[in-house]
Amino acid sequence: MKSIVATFDIATGSETIILEAERHLEAPNWLPDGDTLVVNGNGRLYRLPIGAPSLIEIDTGFATALNNDHGLSPDGRLLVISDASRTPESCIYTLPVGGGLPVRVTSKTPSYWHGWSPDGRTLAFVGKREQTRGTFQVFTCSVTGGEETQLTRDFDHCDGPDYAPDGNWIWFNGEKDTDVQLWRMRPDGSELQRMTADERVNWFPHPSPDGQHVVYLAYEAGTSGHPANKDVELRLLPAGGGTPKTLLGLFGGQGTLNVPSWAPDSRRFAFVRYES
């Protein structure tokens, strides 16, 4: 399987390939410098300079079973990872952006990170708990750990919670009766609003840093979960709601756009597509 890490310019509609690798890579983040991506592969995390593309491993200490739910703090000083090296299921940790010893955040597992509040104080994630009766729901907690707050309850499955840049909304994908659409709510879980209503199976909404757009992954109707190796579309939605625009069709799915991947200038976002 070949992984192709690329960027998409929403103004020109053009794709730029950054790296082609004969290995599995996933979920690019964009560092605040605008010149570097972060990707994961085979349980490890890598820095990927755009101008001189190569995979530079980031020291994550004992955490060597990372999944594709990782990202950056708003000030660019910390990385957040989801890892199962010391727990039976995924747990959330933070560590210095240059690498170092991970510090545990969530006391309960499984927990999969997806969003960091603009003020840097709070993490949004999905978790499966005893009180969620076997379903994944949206939670938040302090970046330093402690008590978690459950925000959703009435969905069959939730994923991908990500903050709007002004901190006033949390976007996520929610499933009800096999229908998976994009939703947003206030950071306390109030004012729940459905933002898409179509035949696609819509996942992983990511608001742009300028607050104008939301990019997301659209599976074909009838898709269950968020599998890899599918024909999918990358779509763009006005942040206030409206008609989505299809930007690109590709072979991908899981690993393509799991985490926040907008460039700081909001003109581009990064993604991964695959070739068998």
Side-chain angles (χ1 to χ4, degrees), residues 26-27 39-45 64-70 80-84 89-91 111-114 254 258-259:
E26 298 181 304
V39 297
N40 70 283
N42 300 322
R44 303 299 178 97
L45 207 59
T64 57
L66 280 72
N67 56 58
N68 53 33
D69 297 325
H70 48 77
V80 61
I81 59 174
S82 305
D83 177 81
E89 298 178 284
S90 178
C91 184
S111 299
Y112 295 88
W113 176 85
H114 279 279
Q254 171 74 306
N258 295 62
V259 291

Side-chain angles (χ1 to χ4, degrees), residues 31 36 49 85 101 110 124 133-134 144-146 179 217 255:
L31 291 181
T36 311
S85 297
L101 185 66
R133 300 182 300 280
T144 58
D179 183 32
L217 184 68

Side-chain angles (χ1 to χ4, degrees), residues 233-246:
E233 292 180 353
L234 297 177
R235 290 187 170 188
L236 196 69
L237 181 71
T243 302
K245 174 185 178 182
T246 298

Side-chain angles (χ1 to χ4, degrees), residues 87-165:
T87 52
E89 298 178 284
S90 178
C91 184
I92 297 173
Y93 303 83
T94 60
L95 66 151
V97 69
L101 185 66
V103 176
R104 185 166 178 170
V105 176
T106 52
S107 60
K108 299 178 182 179
T109 62
S111 299
Y112 295 88
W113 176 85
H114 279 279
W116 206 314
S117 66
D119 64 9
R121 297 178 180 178
T122 307
L123 302 182
F125 60 97
V126 291
K128 183 168 61 175
R129 306 287 186 258
E130 182 178 348
Q131 72 266 25
T132 67
R133 300 182 300 280
T135 64
F136 278 92
Q137 302 295 328
V138 177
F139 292 80
T140 57
C141 73
S142 168
V143 69
T144 58
E147 185 177 354
E148 59 185 27
T149 300
Q150 183 178 343
L151 300 185
T152 62
R153 287 173 172 78
D154 298 329
F155 290 89
D156 300 325
H157 186 94
C158 294
D159 213 334
D162 192 6
Y163 283 88

Side-chain angles (χ1 to χ4, degrees), residues 220-272:
E220 293 181 345
T223 303
S224 178
H226 55 105
N229 304 327
K230 295 290 185 180
D231 290 324
V232 297
E233 292 180 353
L234 297 177
R235 290 187 170 188
L236 196 69
L237 181 71
T243 302
K245 174 185 178 182
T246 298
L247 301 177
L248 187 67
L250 55 92
F251 186 70
Q254 171 74 306
T256 291
L257 197 77
N258 295 62
V259 291
S261 65
W262 281 97
D265 62 10
S266 295
R267 288 179 54 92
R268 300 164 293 164
F269 62 87
F271 64 97
V272 184

